[in-house]
């Protein structure tokens, strides 16, 4: 097991935003965490990456307790988050943004990695010299994924990659996520778009008002009556 979250609680003042969450991710797995706006998905990711403190509970990464490690140390362990809203350096070129992703490794210019990335996402090669801020929303999301990949994540945390994108671009982003999985990247995907996320996930979790209420394989959750009614509008 690569990631084991046990009894994790998180608060914002008196708001109990994450309630005794249990969640696991195996090496190579694509796991989706779905839920409505405000359910606690981002809180779980922020607690996992260490930018928000856990009130109690344990986060184990590769068998090691990382619950009290600071965010920088977690990144060094290979826990890499692609934040909601992407946060690229708009005036910098696509390629500069991608190279920044490799910064944590401190091993000079990783041309071979960049070449592999361009093969995986040809659109990045086409746009390499353009300022990242001039790309479409979907393309910027792919730059953000590429930048995270340059950091050689052991666990990639994706926060609502489909947020604010037109349906055609949403399909493109989920195709890109699947491509990452095929490359062997382990992924925890947080999404409001339950249908798209569960369609590509090996396993999924459903979170409601801070509590994980269901967990199963992606296909089983897609055909679960409660999920169909509450999240798929069926
Ligand atoms: P979204 O899709 O909007 O990101 P979410 O499922 O990620 O939703 P969270 O952002 O984790 O939900 O929010 C969980 C709960 O914690 C909500 O009730 C929210 O209002 C509250 N919350 C989140 N951030 C803060 C904060 N900085 N201060 C106080 N309350 C917060």
């Amino acid at each position: 097991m690569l990631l084991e979250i046990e009894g994790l609680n998180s608060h914002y003042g008196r708001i109990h935003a994450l309630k005794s969450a249990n969640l696991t991710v195996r090496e190579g797995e694509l796991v989706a965490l779905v839920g409505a706006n405000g359910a606690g998905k981002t809180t779980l990711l922020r607690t996992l990456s260490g930018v928000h403190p856990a009130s109690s509970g344990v986060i184990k990464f590769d068998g090691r307790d990382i619950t009290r490690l600071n965010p920088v140390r977690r990144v060094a362990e290979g826990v890499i988050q692609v934040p909601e809203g992407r946060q690229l350096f708009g005036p910098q070129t696509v390629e500069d943004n991608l190279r920044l992703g490799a910064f944590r490794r401190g091993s000079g210019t990783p041309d071979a990695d960049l070449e592999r990335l361009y093969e995986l996402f040809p659109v990045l090669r086409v746009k390499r010299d353009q300022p990242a801020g001039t790309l479409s929303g979907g393309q910027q999301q792919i730059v953000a994924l590429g930048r995270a990949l340059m950091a050689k994540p052991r666990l990639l945390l994706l926060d609502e990659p489909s947020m604010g994108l037109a349906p055609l671009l949403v399909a493109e982003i989920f195709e890109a996520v699947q491509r990452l999985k095929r490359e062997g990247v382990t992924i925890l995907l947080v999404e409001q778009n339950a249908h798209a996320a569960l369609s590509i996930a090996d396993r999924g979790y459903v979170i409601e008002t801070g509590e994980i209420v269901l967990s199963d394989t992606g296909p089983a959750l897609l055909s679960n009556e409660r999920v169909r009614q509450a999240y798929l509008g069926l």
Side-chain angles (χ1 to χ4, degrees):
M1 208 58 84
L2 185 62
L3 175 72
E4 289 170 89
I5 292 178
E6 289 164 15
L8 193 64
N9 286 284
S10 227
H11 290 78
Y12 298 100
R14 284 161 57 192
I15 299 173
H16 196 177
L18 194 62
K19 300 167 186 159
S20 291
N22 296 309
L23 180 150
T24 58
V25 182
R26 292 187 198 90
E27 196 114 42
E29 247 188 336
L30 169 48
V31 173
L33 174 68
V34 301
N37 197 356
K41 306 181 296 300
T42 300
T43 301
L44 188 141
L45 280 195
R46 287 166 52 84
T47 311
L48 186 50
S49 60
V51 294
H52 190 76
S55 326
S56 63
V58 177
I59 304 169
K60 277 192 199 155
F61 187 65
D62 205 9
R64 198 169 150 226
D65 186 344
I66 62 162
T67 321
R68 305 287 154 207
L69 283 191
N70 70 39
V72 175
R73 296 272 305 280
R74 295 190 209 196
V75 169
E77 293 287 323
V79 180
I80 307 290
Q81 182 167 357
V82 180
E84 198 176 4
R86 301 176 271 280
Q87 302 179 9
L88 299 177
F89 295 96
Q92 307 256 50
T93 66
V94 166
E95 184 157 312
D96 284 344
N97 271 278
L98 295 174
R99 285 186 190 278
L100 278 170
F103 183 70
R104 84 163 175 105
R105 293 191 279 141
S107 53
T109 311
D111 285 331
D113 291 356
L114 205 50
E115 188 51 38
R116 235 185 89 230
L117 190 62
Y118 286 150
E119 256 148 50
L120 197 59
F121 300 120
V123 63
L124 296 181
R125 192 196 300 278
V126 176
K127 305 281 181 183
R128 66 200 284 179
D129 295 323
Q130 285 193 26
T134 64
L135 269 55
S136 71
Q139 289 168 348
Q140 288 194 30
Q141 185 62 53
I142 290 177
V143 178
L145 287 179
R147 184 176 61 178
L149 209 56
M150 291 294 279
K152 293 242 193 279
R154 295 190 62 204
L155 174 65
L156 188 63
L157 309 177
L158 301 181
D159 194 0
E160 308 247 9
S162 79
M163 174 100 119
L165 297 180
L168 207 63
L169 293 175
V170 171
E172 216 172 283
I173 291 303
F174 281 94
E175 161 58 29
V177 174
Q178 275 181 297
R179 225 173 291 167
L180 293 184
K181 177 186 157 57
R182 285 198 294 269
E183 288 287 300
V185 182
T186 306
I187 301 169
L188 178 58
L189 167 66
V190 162
E191 262 296 338
Q192 259 185 75
N193 189 336
H195 186 265
L198 294 175
S199 298
I200 64 169
D202 298 310
R203 290 188 303 115
Y205 293 82
V206 178
I207 186 167
E208 288 176 0
T209 55
E211 220 168 318
I212 291 177
V213 292
L214 279 174
S215 81
D216 212 327
T217 64
L221 286 176
L222 273 178
S223 56
N224 178 293
E225 204 46 46
R226 179 167 173 186
V227 173
R228 286 164 63 84
Q229 283 184 14
Y231 301 99
L232 308 178
L234 299 171

